[in-house]
Amino acid sequence: MAAGTGFSRSFVLVEDGFSNDGEERSQNSGQLDVGKPPRNLAVVRHSISTATLLTPTDPDLGVVGVKSASDGKSEYTPMIRSGSCAEKGPKEYMEDEHICIDSLLEHFDRTEGFPSLGAFYGVFDGHGGTDAACYVRKNILKFIVEDPQFPGCLKKAIRNAYLKADQAFAENSTVDVSSGTTALTTLVFGRMLVVANAGDCRAVLGKRGRALELSNDHKPNSIPERHRIEQLGGVIYDGYLNGQLSVSRALGDWHMKGPKGTACSLSGEPELQEIFLMEDDEFLIMGCDGLWDVMSSQCAVTIARKELMIHNDPERCSRELVREALKRGTCDNLTVIVVCFSPDPPPWIEIQSPMGHRRSISSEGLHFLKGILDGNS
């Protein structure tokens, strides 16, 4: 431990088990050696972090201590910062797309209908080419804000936008309608956060070291999706919907869908979850299945929290999550977005020692230790 850190005896320090080799690779889209996909190359867009790098108390510790929990002040206002990273990984083509908009006011250059705090993020994992992922990335936000339910009922507006984007893609003569994409979006509207998901990308909230999943992975073998598929006459072969697709919800893939208005086992309808941001909500991780195939949600939150405590930069944090997934042998494209809700790094988590040799540990501390064990497994 470096001198002058000033930890009291009530802190229990735990080795984190994650390596920082210091090497950083550029993730700019112009430097990706992705080859040529079946159709247009996916345009990988990155949000530049506006974070000021803060010097941690001791960057060499690699530990997380513990501090007090949120005092629950009602006047809490989130401050949005984001960073993203995308790599094609071991696959031949890059078919992921993503979008990061930290300010809806600046993006639309208007104030009507938007709160002072508004942001939008999306991860789109394409398959069968990049046409569907690219189309949805370019149009989904427009469909949301143009919906009659916006902004009065955000969940209805987002649901309608997904279905409209799916149908509009099918009617577009300039694209390959047999390509498809999963779609995971997050709309921050004031202190309201709305996550919509169709597919197997995942959004995970970091809440004082605890991972809180805000979306469900739509895999054909999951019990709710299996029931829905079978009720609609679909079948599952070896984990694949109708023997063709490893996800049960996606936009596009119109060779597997029926005419407009007919029920289909492959659905473009998203599941939605809405939460009210609190002071304990530190950051959000959005990632394609290339991340979650090799990493648990709690492990990702533990890694991200540790990184943010060191450098407080969501861009570097997203790169570290991608790097860790590559080390663990992911077989897919990788796209990760990290959205922070505070200008400050996550606080230390305190493990109290109330009396004698007895020790108690907070729920946050337990989740942190679980993440470490997951990370070393």
Side-chain angles (χ1 to χ4, degrees):
M1 179 183 299
T5 53
F7 286 106
S8 69
R9 292 182 182 178
S10 64
F11 286 92
V12 177
L13 302 181
V14 185
E15 294 296 336
D16 68 339
F18 300 114
S19 63
N20 263 336
D21 54 19
E23 180 185 357
E24 292 188 5
R25 293 167 293 177
S26 172
Q27 307 300 331
N28 294 331
S29 61
Q31 296 174 320
L32 290 176
D33 182 18
V34 298
K36 184 177 180 181
R39 292 184 63 85
N40 293 332
L41 176 66
V43 178
V44 180
R45 297 172 54 188
H46 299 283
S47 170
I48 299 176
S49 171
T50 57
T52 300
L53 299 187
L54 303 181
T55 303
T57 303
D58 188 345
D60 295 324
L61 281 176
V63 296
V64 175
V66 188
K67 202 176 179 181
S68 61
S70 167
D71 57 9
K73 291 182 180 179
S74 59
E75 61 269 21
Y76 163 70
T77 301
M79 294 184 66
I80 305 296
R81 302 176 295 129
S82 72
S84 62
C85 178
E87 283 197 10
K88 73 181 181 69
K91 296 190 73 174
E92 185 179 1
Y93 307 118
M94 180 59 170
E95 296 180 302
D96 287 359
E97 291 274 353
H98 70 282
I99 185 171
C100 296
I101 299 174
D102 288 338
S103 173
L104 291 177
L105 292 178
E106 294 179 7
H107 180 76
F108 286 102
D109 193 26
R110 76 183 212 205
T111 58
E112 182 182 358
F114 297 105
S116 58
L117 177 65
F120 183 78
Y121 307 95
V123 175
F124 312 99
D125 187 350
H127 49 264
T130 61
D131 281 14
C134 187
Y135 181 87
V136 176
R137 174 184 62 79
K138 290 179 178 179
N139 292 282
I140 189 68
L141 180 57
K142 179 187 70 172
F143 288 143
I144 292 173
V145 299
E146 290 179 353
D147 190 85
Q149 298 289 340
F150 181 87
C153 187
L154 294 177
K155 291 176 73 174
K156 286 184 179 179
I158 295 171
R159 176 190 176 275
N160 293 343
Y162 268 63
L163 297 177
K164 184 174 181 179
D166 196 18
Q167 187 61 41
F169 177 73
E171 296 169 355
N172 191 316
S173 61
T174 66
V175 297
D176 179 2
V177 297
S178 66
S179 69
T181 185
T182 65
L184 171 69
T185 61
T186 296
L187 177 66
V188 182
F189 210 75
R191 287 179 61 181
M192 191 66 65
L193 184 148
V194 186
V195 173
N197 183 51
D200 57 1
C201 294
R202 189 185 306 170
V204 180
L205 183 68
K207 193 177 184 72
R208 282 293 191 271
R210 178 166 59 99
L212 192 65
E213 294 182 352
L214 299 183
S215 63
N216 295 315
D217 299 348
H218 295 138
K219 298 286 192 182
N221 274 334
S222 69
I223 294 176
E225 290 299 285
R226 175 180 283 273
H227 288 167
R228 182 185 63 80
I229 290 168
E230 292 176 346
Q231 288 175 358
L232 293 172
V235 293
I236 301 170
Y237 295 114
D238 195 26
Y240 286 79
L241 174 60
N242 294 340
Q244 301 180 60
L245 202 58
S246 63
V247 293
S248 55
R249 300 196 190 197
L251 281 65
D253 294 300
W254 278 94
H255 61 295
M256 296 181 62
K257 295 177 179 176
K260 180 180 178 180
T262 61
C264 177
S265 55
L266 176 61
S267 174
E269 182 172 354
E271 284 188 319
L272 296 105
Q273 184 157 336
E274 184 179 84
I275 68 167
F276 193 65
L277 288 171
M278 307 297 289
E279 194 170 358
D280 281 350
D281 300 327
E282 297 172 332
F283 55 86
L284 180 74
I285 302 172
M286 299 172 65
C288 65
D289 63 326
L291 177 70
W292 309 115
D293 285 346
V294 295
M295 193 179 302
S296 70
S297 297
Q298 183 60 55
C299 178
V301 166
T302 301
I303 293 174
R305 195 173 200 272
K306 174 222 169 185
E307 289 292 317
L308 291 171
M309 290 181 69
I310 294 173
H311 50 66
N312 197 30
D313 185 349
E315 188 89 6
R316 290 177 61 184
C317 183
S318 65
R319 289 203 299 267
E320 184 59 33
L321 287 169
V322 166
R323 181 184 302 174
E324 181 65 25
L326 290 170
K327 289 179 181 177
R328 293 172 179 232
T330 185
C331 298
D332 206 345
N333 297 150
L334 282 161
T335 299
V336 175
I337 297 173
V338 176
V339 183
C340 295
F341 303 120
S342 168
D344 303 317
W348 299 85
I349 301 177
E350 184 176 354
I351 303 174
Q352 299 288 345
S353 175
M355 55 190 302
H357 295 288
R358 297 178 60 188
R359 297 289 186 270
S360 65
I361 185 169
S362 65
S363 61
E364 293 88 352
L366 286 173
H367 287 295
F368 168 70
L369 293 175
K370 181 179 183 297
I372 291 176
L373 294 174
D374 288 342
N376 289 327
S377 61

